[in-house]
Amino acid sequence: MCFRPADASAGSGVNQCPECGKTIQAMGGITLKSCPFCKCDFTPYLDGTKPLPNAAPGAPAAPAAPGAPKAPGAPKPPAAPGQ
């Protein structure tokens, strides 16, 4: 019986060609250096020097912590009585 991991494409890092958009099947954990269809070089995409055009946006930043409430202002002195 042959064991195959649930996500066989997890080792390659590229599931879709960034240039032609065709789906690339990972085989045996081999990392492809170029697209088998359009011959695009994957090296800049794999080392991070070139961003993937169809990559999902990064996780949103954590919301900012609320600031401490401001201390109430000093009370104003009473007005001088009018004579």
Side-chain angles (χ1 to χ4, degrees), residues 23-49:
T23 303
I24 301 168
Q25 299 275 333
M27 299 178 69
I30 298 171
T31 302
L32 295 174
K33 299 288 183 192
S34 64
C35 176
F37 304 105
C38 69
K39 308 300 182 214
C40 161
D41 183 26
F42 291 152
T43 308
Y45 296 104
L46 293 173
D47 64 9
T49 57

Side-chain angles (χ1 to χ4, degrees), residues 66-72:
K70 295 186 179 194

